[in-house]
Amino acid sequence: MKKVRKAVIPVAGLGTRFLPATKSMPKEMLPVVDRPVVQYAVDEAFEAGIEHIVFVTGRNKAVIEDYFDLHPELIGTLEQTGKTAQLQALESLLPVAGATSFIRQQSPQGLGHAVWCAREVIGDEPFALLLPDMVSFGGRGCLAEIADLYAQTGGNVIAVERCDPTETSKYGIVGCGADVGSGFEVTAMVEKPAPANAPSNYYINGRYILQPEIFGLLGNQQRGAGNEIQLTDAMVRLAQSQAFFAQPFNGRMFDCGSKEGFIQANVAFALARDDMKGPIFEMLEEFVRSHERRVEAA
């Protein structure tokens, strides 16, 4: 069993759900409290033991590469003004030299195509995939949990969470087989099934460990939903020859690709901080009381 050393983080999406903000700012750089969304994925990857991160970028995404680089002018200003805490915080977030690669997806052709673009950097070894819109909250990071299961099972491992059984048509849903360690065997993968046809209410939440054979399948994968190359379609094909396992995530994943999830993540992370939870909680209580008064008055 090969160690999972590399991770792919696709950041080439246009972020149309956050227009007009994303007209000039990548959606991955929108802040959750005081860190951009993409930083949470990077932190999660390194926590799980990843040594090298491959960012799949697109046009107008150079600011992401700049963010993970040194800023001599900013560092100099912080040193001169004695802002040691801010300086240490910046240094702690900076990947070591050579630990990141940036490759370009010239045109948006789906998640499967973005992953395929990383094939030359990943090479012939298993890799992790983190969708940066999905932000892990609570306890250990989601990737660390599926890495634990991978150490027991090998093969391909995906993280899952439960959704309302009536909302399976919003997600990629897996079928549940025999229990394996803290997870279970995957017997099916169905993209957005109707509730009556869903094999379970476990949905794929944006964290994967995949074997390199997925690249060969993606290279000849027919276009699927949205006329795009879908990763799930290639995973279904790979499952014909390789085992897939699922690890239910013990925390919570916020979908920061949606406005609702983005706001929820900001509230949750703010309430988890000792320096912010008091004022934020008081503000939320007042908002709730004001809303209740308006409802009663109506």
Side-chain angles (χ1 to χ4, degrees):
M1 185 188 303
K2 292 184 178 180
K3 179 182 178 182
V4 180
R5 302 186 309 112
K6 299 176 182 178
V8 175
I9 299 182
V11 292
L14 298 176
T16 53
R17 286 187 286 180
F18 277 91
L19 287 169
T22 50
K23 180 181 179 182
S24 59
M25 173 188 290
K27 63 175 182 175
E28 297 84 6
M29 294 301 295
L30 294 172
V32 173
V33 185
D34 56 2
R35 296 185 180 191
V37 167
V38 69
Q39 180 70 65
Y40 291 92
V42 170
D43 292 345
E44 184 183 339
F46 286 137
E47 177 200 7
I50 296 299
E51 301 169 9
H52 191 103
I53 295 177
V54 183
F55 294 92
V56 182
T57 73
R59 283 183 293 277
N60 302 318
K61 299 284 184 145
V63 66
I64 298 176
E65 188 169 354
D66 291 340
Y67 172 80
F68 288 105
D69 198 0
L70 287 170
H71 292 69
E73 297 85 359
L74 176 58
I75 291 172
T77 299
L78 294 175
E79 289 176 340
Q80 293 172 11
T81 54
K83 296 183 178 180
T84 306
Q86 292 91 328
L87 181 60
Q88 291 176 343
L90 288 179
E91 291 176 342
S92 69
L93 299 176
L94 189 67
V96 298
T100 57
S101 297
F102 293 82
I103 59 178
R104 181 68 67 93
Q105 182 187 22
Q106 286 86 354
S107 60
Q109 299 184 48
L111 174 59
H113 182 261
V115 173
W116 179 79
C117 288
R119 66 198 183 282
E120 295 296 337
V121 183
I122 297 299
D124 187 25
E125 56 185 287
F127 65 98
L129 171 64
L130 302 92
L131 307 189
D133 286 352
M134 306 302 290
V135 175
S136 173
F137 177 78
R140 299 177 70 211
C142 186
L143 186 62
E145 290 192 1
I146 68 171
D148 287 348
L149 182 59
Y150 173 80
Q152 302 174 47
T153 63
N156 304 270
V157 183
I158 52 182
V160 295
E161 293 183 61
R162 288 186 184 272
C163 68
D164 188 305
T166 64
E167 297 184 345
T168 57
S169 60
K170 297 181 180 179
Y171 306 100
I173 302 296
V174 303
C176 306
D179 291 342
V180 179
S182 56
F184 56 85
E185 294 179 353
V186 173
T187 59
M189 288 177 278
V190 186
E191 190 66 28
K192 299 180 179 179
N197 300 323
S200 76
N201 66 329
Y202 277 110
Y203 71 94
I204 303 171
N205 73 359
R207 297 294 184 268
Y208 313 73
I209 292 176
L210 299 171
Q211 295 298 318
E213 287 78 11
I214 195 75
F215 293 122
L217 298 175
L218 289 170
N220 60 25
Q221 179 63 49
Q222 294 183 352
R223 294 177 181 271
N227 197 33
E228 295 181 334
I229 298 174
Q230 297 293 338
L231 177 65
T232 302
D233 293 342
M235 289 167 55
V236 169
R237 293 170 62 198
L238 184 59
Q240 296 173 8
S241 59
Q242 293 187 5
F244 271 77
F245 304 91
Q247 170 63 54
F249 179 39
N250 290 311
R252 178 174 179 180
M253 199 71 78
F254 289 106
D255 180 6
C256 289
S258 71
K259 297 181 180 71
E260 296 84 356
F262 179 71
I263 293 171
Q264 290 169 358
N266 271 277
V267 172
F269 277 90
L271 289 175
R273 289 178 47 157
D274 291 337
D275 62 332
M276 297 183 67
K277 62 183 180 182
I280 297 299
F281 189 77
E282 292 176 3
M283 178 195 70
L284 291 173
E285 281 190 317
E286 177 55 32
F287 278 174
V288 171
R289 287 194 294 267
S290 297
H291 176 73
E292 290 174 345
R293 288 195 293 268
R294 288 195 298 270
V295 171
E296 291 173 356

